[in-house]
């Protein structure tokens, strides 16, 4: 077989390796982000400045959508007409301008609020599909998973970097994901040493209020044992949402729990395994908040083992205890099997963390300033939602090249197959459009999604 001939030829044709950015730019066009951001006033920036605030925000969003986080990466796009046309950018800023303007915008609390509000409004406007985690009778529950994930920023001198509970230096941001698709409704950058429960009631309240307009189902807050504080329970009860919160037993006696459960609970093991007894206990709880009385339950499962698996008897019994605070509207006697199924599904948010840190490359944040990194994280969450929205709509297209059943595409897959699709920019008769090749299995689904969005305006 002869060698494949390769020739390097320079051309003036506007060829892009990121044609999928046109979808990101179109979604941004459906928001009021430009108008609201440009209305912000900075004392050190003139109103008639050459590069607007929206140019800076859109440029950073474009970088993040291609999996790049470093400010210096913008230099490769400064002369790229396709990048600016796709993202709706008037003037692409230089790397120093991008860094300095984000530093300045980060000092305005309204910047973060605007990005979050436009992100949530876009999900509502695009009718984003959020799948429930549980259905009982006529009631469905949409998961709202709250969890923290340490970001490794070792060997850096960034503001806020400190020792995390994972044993490395970095940040410990908090995230709130809605639906089984994992749309981000709230995120907050925190120093590495900050405990996950610090300021959690405020974070949880904001996450619940942002998630509520996205669905008609009941919200089900799911949290790990690090958040087993009564303050979180009070927030959920006041906001009228259901919850599954794992309890941290701390110094509670497991043997005492077994004694209580064996007397007041019910045995749930089949009795065929010798040396093992498992009991389930459901204890009603009442709490008074602002003159109103609320109820929920504490569901506990206790297992006593007196024999090893090989038949060897133990000198001292071994006890295993799992305990949860639970509220499911309309169900006072909650089964432990249902609680465990709902809580174990909460582990899916670890995949969402991975997509943020690896696929979007957000783990090592680009700035040395805490506020700027916080804004970059918020924009990263915005981009994450945009890419998730694109991926879910592409997945629902019957011409999607992958036919095996999946519920969600990884962000990395969306970047590789859609965002980095090759395209040719054509300008003619004062019009501009993008040409895609028919030989790509994703071109036709991408075009169908774009046309569907335009028809739904």
């Amino acid at each position: 077989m002869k060698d494949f001939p390769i020739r390097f030829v320079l051309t003036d044709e506007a060829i892009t390796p990121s044609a999928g950015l046109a979808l990101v730019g179109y979604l941004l066009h459906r928001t009021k982000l430009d108008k609201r951001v440009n209305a912000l006033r900075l004392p050190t920036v003139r109103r008639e400045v050459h590069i607007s605030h929206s140019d800076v925000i859109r440029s950073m969003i474009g970088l993040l959508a291609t999996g790049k986080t470093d400010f210096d990466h913008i230099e490769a796009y400064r002369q790229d007409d396709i990048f600016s046309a796709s993202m709706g950018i008037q003037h692409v800023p230089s790397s120093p301008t991008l860094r300095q303007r984000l530093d300045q915008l980060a000092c305005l609390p309204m910047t973060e609020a605007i990005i979050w509000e436009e992100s949530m409004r876009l999900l509502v406007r695009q009718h984003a599909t959020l799948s429930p985690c549980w259905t009982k009778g006529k009631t469905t529950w949409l998961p709202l998973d709250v969890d923290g994930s340490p970001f490794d920023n070792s060997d850096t001198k960034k503001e806020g970097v400190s020792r995390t509970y994972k044993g490395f230096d970095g940040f410990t941001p908090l995230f709130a994901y809605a639906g089984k698709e994992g749309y981000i409704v709230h995120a907050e950058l925190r120093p590495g040493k900050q405990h996950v429960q610090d300021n959690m009631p405020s974070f949880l309240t904001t996450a619940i209020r942002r998630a509520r307009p996205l669905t008609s189902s009941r919200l089900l807050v799911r949290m790990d044992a690090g958040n087993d504080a009564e303050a979180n329970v009070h927030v959920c009860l006041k906001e009228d949402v259901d919850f599954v919160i794992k309890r941290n037993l701390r110094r509670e006696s497991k043997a005492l729990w077994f004694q209580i459960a064996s007397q007041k609970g019910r045995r749930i093991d089949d009795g065929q395994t010798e040396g093992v007894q498992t009991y389930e206990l459901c204890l009603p709880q009442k709490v008074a908040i602002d003159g109103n009385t609320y109820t929920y339950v504490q569901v506990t499962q206790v297992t006593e083992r007196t024999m090893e698996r090989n038949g060897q008897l133990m000198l001292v019994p071994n006890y295993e205890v799992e305990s949860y605070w639970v509220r499911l509207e309309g169900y006072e006697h909650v089964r432990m099997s249902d609680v465990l199924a709902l809580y174990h599904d909460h582990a899916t948010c670890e995949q969402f963390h991975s997509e943020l840190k690896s696929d979007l490359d957000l783990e090592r944040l680009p700035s040395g300033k805490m506020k700027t990194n916080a804004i970059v994280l918020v924009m990263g969450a915005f981009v994450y939602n945009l890419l998730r929205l694109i991926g879910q709509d592409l997945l629902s297209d019957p011409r999607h090249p992958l036919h095996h059943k999946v519920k969600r595409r990884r962000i990395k897959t969306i970047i590789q197959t859609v965002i980095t699709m090759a395209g040719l920019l054509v300008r003619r008769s004062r019009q501009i459009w993008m040409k895609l090749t028919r030989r790509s299995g994703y071109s036709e689904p991408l075009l169908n999604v774009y046309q569907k969005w335009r028809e739904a305006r």
Side-chain angles (χ1 to χ4, degrees):
M1 183 177 179
K2 295 183 179 180
D3 292 338
F4 186 81
I6 299 177
R7 295 180 182 178
F8 295 96
V9 180
L10 296 179
T11 177
D12 291 329
E13 288 185 299
I15 302 173
T16 178
S18 305
L21 282 178
L23 287 180
V24 176
Y26 177 77
L27 289 176
L28 288 177
H29 182 66
R30 299 209 64 190
T31 69
K32 296 181 180 179
L33 186 63
D34 292 350
K35 182 179 180 180
R36 298 185 66 188
V37 169
N38 287 333
L40 298 175
R41 293 289 171 256
L42 295 173
T44 56
V45 178
R46 301 190 312 273
R47 296 186 63 176
E48 63 278 5
V49 68
H50 180 64
I51 296 177
S52 66
H53 300 337
S54 61
D55 286 342
V56 172
I57 296 294
R58 280 178 175 261
S59 297
M60 193 66 206
I61 288 176
L63 284 183
L64 293 171
T66 56
K68 301 180 179 68
T69 55
D70 198 289
F71 298 132
D72 291 336
H73 285 142
I74 197 64
E75 294 295 336
Y77 296 101
R78 292 194 66 193
Q79 306 301 323
D80 189 343
D81 293 340
I82 305 179
F83 178 81
S84 56
S86 299
M87 293 299 301
I89 302 171
Q90 296 271 344
H91 305 284
V92 179
S94 65
S95 172
T97 300
L98 180 63
R99 178 185 291 105
Q100 293 166 11
R101 188 71 61 82
L102 286 178
D103 288 344
Q104 295 166 330
L105 289 172
C107 295
L108 300 178
M110 279 302 298
T111 307
E112 185 173 327
I114 289 170
I115 297 173
W116 276 122
E117 288 172 10
E118 294 304 320
S119 179
M120 295 300 102
R121 287 176 182 172
L122 182 63
L123 293 181
V124 174
R125 187 173 300 169
Q126 293 296 118
H127 306 288
T129 301
L130 284 83
S131 303
C133 62
W134 199 46
T135 302
K136 197 77 170 179
K138 297 182 179 180
T139 308
T140 59
W141 282 267
L142 185 84
L144 180 61
D145 294 304
V146 180
D147 194 25
S149 180
F151 280 16
D152 188 352
N153 281 255
S154 303
D155 302 321
T156 65
K157 297 181 180 179
K158 300 173 185 176
E159 182 183 359
V161 168
S162 52
R163 205 67 173 173
T164 67
Y165 67 88
K166 286 289 189 179
F168 53 72
D169 294 334
F171 303 101
T172 307
L174 268 181
F175 300 96
Y177 303 97
K180 295 179 74 69
E181 292 77 12
Y183 289 101
I184 302 178
V185 296
H186 195 21
E188 184 179 292
L189 187 65
R190 297 177 166 206
K193 64 182 179 181
Q194 185 171 342
H195 191 273
V196 69
Q197 182 55 32
D198 288 352
N199 200 36
M200 176 56 77
S202 174
F203 180 92
L204 183 57
T205 301
T206 302
I208 291 171
R209 293 177 180 177
R210 285 181 183 162
R212 186 170 280 125
L214 301 178
T215 180
S216 58
S217 303
R218 286 194 62 81
L219 291 178
L220 177 66
V221 174
R222 301 188 292 196
M223 307 176 79
D224 292 331
N227 298 115
D228 68 335
E230 291 184 353
N232 299 333
V233 174
H234 293 180
V235 169
C236 293
L237 293 173
K238 289 174 66 175
E239 295 292 331
D240 190 28
V241 298
D242 297 330
F243 54 86
V244 174
I245 303 175
K246 188 171 184 178
R247 292 188 62 242
N248 186 342
L249 296 176
R250 296 179 175 85
R251 298 183 181 180
E252 297 177 19
S253 171
K254 295 182 179 181
L256 180 59
W257 266 115
F258 177 77
Q259 182 180 351
I260 297 172
S262 60
Q263 294 175 358
K264 298 183 179 181
R266 67 183 187 91
R267 188 166 179 173
I268 59 175
D269 63 273
D270 55 15
Q272 296 180 358
T273 305
E274 295 184 4
V276 178
Q277 297 184 72
T278 302
Y279 290 89
E280 176 184 305
L281 179 64
C282 187
L283 298 175
Q285 307 287 317
K286 290 186 178 181
V287 60
I289 306 174
D290 298 333
N292 299 318
T293 301
Y294 300 91
T295 60
Y296 60 100
V297 294
Q298 179 178 314
V299 184
T300 306
Q301 177 177 292
V302 189
T303 301
E304 180 194 54
R305 298 182 183 274
T306 58
M307 183 184 296
E308 298 281 2
R309 297 184 185 276
N310 60 5
Q312 177 68 44
L313 293 175
M314 297 179 179
L315 292 176
V316 179
N318 181 38
Y319 297 101
E320 299 174 2
V321 181
E322 285 195 77
S323 186
Y324 301 85
W325 284 326
V326 181
R327 181 186 185 236
L328 293 171
E329 182 68 21
Y331 297 92
E332 297 179 359
H333 302 286
V334 182
R335 297 280 183 175
M336 191 65 178
S337 57
D338 294 332
V339 175
L340 290 176
L342 289 171
Y343 181 74
H344 290 167
D345 187 52
H346 168 67
T348 308
C349 62
E350 294 296 334
Q351 298 179 21
F352 305 146
H353 295 332
S354 174
E355 293 179 65
L356 277 168
K357 294 194 285 188
S358 301
D359 300 357
L360 286 180
D361 197 26
L362 274 174
E363 183 163 23
R364 296 185 76 85
L365 294 163
S367 178
K369 299 182 180 180
M370 185 75 173
K371 288 184 177 180
T372 305
N373 283 331
I375 282 292
V376 172
L377 182 65
V378 172
M379 287 191 287
F382 191 9
V383 171
Y384 174 96
N385 287 341
L386 293 178
L387 296 181
R388 178 71 77 213
L389 190 61
I390 294 171
Q392 295 306 111
D393 281 358
L394 281 175
L395 198 60
S396 63
D397 191 280
R399 300 181 185 181
H400 193 279
L402 299 179
H403 300 294
H404 55 277
K405 293 183 178 180
V406 293
K407 297 180 179 178
R408 184 182 71 251
R409 286 284 176 218
R410 280 190 68 104
I411 298 299
K412 180 180 180 180
T413 304
I414 303 305
I415 293 176
Q416 290 177 339
T417 58
V418 179
I419 301 301
T420 57
M421 184 183 298
L424 180 67
L425 189 71
V426 179
R427 297 177 186 270
R428 190 173 299 166
S429 302
R430 297 184 180 180
Q431 292 184 346
I432 181 172
W433 65 86
M434 185 80 69
K435 281 187 177 181
L436 303 176
T437 175
R438 294 183 184 274
R439 299 188 179 185
S440 171
Y442 286 91
S443 296
E444 212 162 344
L446 187 150
L447 181 60
N448 293 340
V449 168
Y450 178 69
Q451 289 176 342
K452 184 183 75 173
W453 289 349
R454 289 183 62 86
E455 293 170 358
R457 291 180 60 178

